[in-house]
Amino acid sequence: MLQTAACLRTPPPSRPPHDFRILTLRCPDFRELAPLLAEEGIDVDNIDVPDLDTLQAAMKRAIERHNLTRFTPVGHARDLAVTTLRLVIEALADGDTTLAAAILEQVQPDSPDNTTATVAGCIGVALGLLDDWLTGSDPHAPAGLGQRVRLPAGHWLGERAATDILVLARKGRAPSARSTR
């Protein structure tokens, strides 16, 4: 995910407080947001906003839209994410955790050429499916699945996040779990 918001927290030292040109140098993700910021009326090559709050609000909206796009794959990107998740689930169902791990290791943070599944795409598809299955929205999901889903006993890494995600999924809000931490 983009780290640009962190770049906005403090104005750069030795620059006037409203000189935002340094952002394009300090924040590598800033250029990636340029089209979304342009829709907000901000030209990243000539940032002309009245104050930092205005820029932060526009950045927040642009980052939210950018992340929504990344977590909602469509077309071939969705097919890649679904196939990857299916292969991992099949490996786990067969008890082959080594194969499942090897498949997950192939998932990339980004795929500019759309040849591999992305982390955000897999997370987005999985959270969307959880919503559909656990709320009963998917007619192909087994009846009563939401009541039968249980997490493993004991304490384990990710237990709190998994618990939160299942609670939200039963309410049809699992995708919002990625922004709660």
Side-chain angles (χ1 to χ4, degrees):
M1 281 201 270
L2 292 174
Q3 302 300 316
T4 306
C7 299
L8 293 175
R9 290 196 184 106
T10 57
S14 76
R15 294 255 183 203
H18 299 303
D19 186 356
F20 302 113
R21 291 173 294 179
I22 193 72
L23 286 175
T24 57
L25 301 173
R26 289 181 69 212
C27 302
D29 298 324
F30 200 71
R31 287 251 170 240
E32 192 174 344
L33 293 175
L36 296 171
L37 288 169
E39 291 177 18
E40 296 281 337
I42 295 174
D43 176 1
V44 297
D45 293 319
N46 185 22
I47 299 173
D48 185 20
V49 293
D51 54 41
L52 186 58
D53 289 339
T54 302
L55 181 59
Q56 284 178 320
M59 288 292 295
K60 181 179 178 186
R61 289 188 298 271
I63 290 169
E64 286 174 0
R65 289 177 51 213
H66 176 78
N67 288 339
L68 178 64
T69 301
R70 293 185 70 191
F71 281 92
T72 313
V74 294
H76 184 63
R78 181 177 171 76
D79 292 343
L80 290 169
V82 168
T83 300
T84 299
L85 291 171
R86 182 181 48 78
L87 293 172
V88 169
I89 291 166
E90 287 174 355
L92 291 172
D94 291 342
D96 194 345
T97 57
T98 303
L99 177 58
I103 295 166
L104 286 174
E105 286 175 9
Q106 300 302 309
V107 178
Q108 299 296 311
D110 290 302
S111 181
D113 59 358
N114 209 19
T115 58
T116 185
T118 65
V119 173
C122 288
I123 291 171
V125 166
L127 292 176
L129 289 171
L130 271 175
D131 266 7
D132 292 346
W133 294 342
L134 299 188
T135 60
S137 300
D138 184 341
H140 304 294
L145 179 64
Q147 290 74 38
R148 296 192 319 244
V149 171
R150 302 285 181 267
L151 294 173
H155 297 290
W156 41 277
L157 187 63
E159 175 188 13
R160 252 179 68 193
T163 301
D164 292 349
I165 288 168
L166 285 180
V167 167
L168 289 168
R170 288 184 173 112
K171 297 175 183 178
R173 294 181 18 228
S176 67
R178 63 184 164 75
S179 63
T180 59
R181 299 243 178 239

